[in-house]
Amino acid sequence: MKKGVFITGTDTGIGKTYVAAGIARSLVRMGVNAGVMKPVETGCRRQAGRLIPRDAMQLMKASNARDALALINPYRFQKPLAPLVAAEFEGAQIRTGKIVKAYHELARKHEFMIIEGAGGIMVPLQQNYTYRELARDMGLPVLIVARPGLGTINHTLLTVASLNEKGLDIAGIVINHARRGKTGLAEKTNPVLIEKMCGVAILGILSYREHRFETIAEQLK
């Protein structure tokens, strides 16, 4: 397997980009030549006639990337929808071969690649091709970003089961407090139960706006 990680989430809006950027920034500080990629980004704002991929730009800044945006983010769309649907609204089609080719070009330049998906692992890029298939075709282990509260046990175990079904390696789980709030009993007990039930290590529990990613990055590189 190539050195790198494919970052997915148990849902949307749980801080995948924040985690991916934090890991990239930490690896760079450790002296690792880290490359980044956001294969498809939807919900891009239009500025001066161009779509601006905010997540991809954040990853580029975190990693000090000098690679072409066309490689880091091959596809971008304006509507905030699943990639397949957003592409259909614009009369476009996502060619996964183009994404994989861009990935291999970037991987040849970097020691470690950080790929960020969109939403969860079963979000479709084509009718019968999801981010799960993309992670498989890239040959990368998957890092799962999960939220801390009620419902996360079910969402996390379903994500793990889906990856196991296709024989994908799982690098671990990161629990991210993406929103400010009190830590209740569910947030305190969920991590231990998730780890016991699925047998996947929790690499870190990030507090709200946590800036220390070194421990997680060290376990991945």
Side-chain angles (χ1 to χ4, degrees):
M1 297 183 77
K2 293 184 183 293
K3 292 285 287 182
V5 67
F6 190 103
I7 298 180
T8 192
T10 55
D11 204 344
T12 191
I14 58 172
K16 288 187 305 301
T17 303
Y18 187 76
V19 172
I23 292 170
R25 191 176 297 109
S26 291
L27 288 172
V28 170
R29 287 173 181 167
M30 292 175 186
V32 177
N33 178 3
V36 294
M37 190 176 187
K38 175 84 175 185
V40 184
E41 184 162 345
T42 63
C44 299
R45 73 180 189 276
R46 189 170 293 279
Q47 182 176 315
R50 297 172 58 236
L51 290 177
I52 307 300
R54 184 175 60 180
D55 292 352
M57 300 296 285
Q58 187 174 335
L59 294 176
M60 292 177 72
K61 182 179 179 181
S63 62
N64 298 327
R66 296 183 178 179
D67 302 302
L69 181 59
L71 290 176
I72 292 172
N73 176 229
Y75 289 99
R76 63 198 73 112
F77 303 101
Q78 188 167 5
K79 292 189 179 297
L81 301 169
L84 170 64
V85 184
E88 288 178 343
F89 262 99
E90 295 190 18
Q93 182 179 15
I94 296 171
R95 293 180 293 157
T96 55
K98 176 181 177 180
I99 294 173
V100 174
K101 182 179 178 181
Y103 161 71
H104 285 301
E105 186 170 342
L106 289 169
R108 285 193 293 269
K109 301 177 181 180
H110 299 283
E111 296 175 61
F112 192 98
M113 286 297 300
I114 300 164
I115 316 298
E116 185 203 344
I121 199 66
M122 294 303 292
V123 167
L125 299 165
Q126 296 177 348
Q127 286 292 341
N128 297 303
Y129 191 103
T130 70
Y131 277 106
R132 181 175 65 173
E133 283 68 46
L134 183 59
R136 177 203 63 196
D137 290 348
M138 289 179 171
L140 291 174
V142 178
L143 178 67
I144 301 168
V145 180
R147 59 188 179 85
L150 285 174
T152 197
I153 293 174
N154 180 60
H155 293 162
T156 305
L157 295 185
L158 285 173
T159 300
V160 169
S162 178
L163 293 167
N164 286 338
E165 181 185 5
K166 292 295 184 179
L168 275 73
D169 288 337
I170 303 175
I173 298 166
V174 171
I175 294 179
N176 181 44
H177 288 70
R179 295 174 177 81
R180 188 189 300 276
K182 293 182 179 180
T183 299
L185 192 57
E187 287 81 3
K188 293 176 181 177
T189 58
N190 284 341
V192 175
L193 186 56
I194 288 171
E195 206 167 39
K196 283 183 178 179
M197 291 186 71
C198 69
V200 177
I202 292 178
L203 304 187
I205 301 174
L206 300 171
S207 59
Y208 179 67
R209 291 188 177 176
E210 175 68 66
H211 294 293
R212 292 171 294 181
F213 289 84
E214 289 80 5
T215 301
I216 297 171
E218 187 66 43
Q219 294 175 84
L220 294 171
K221 72 182 182 75

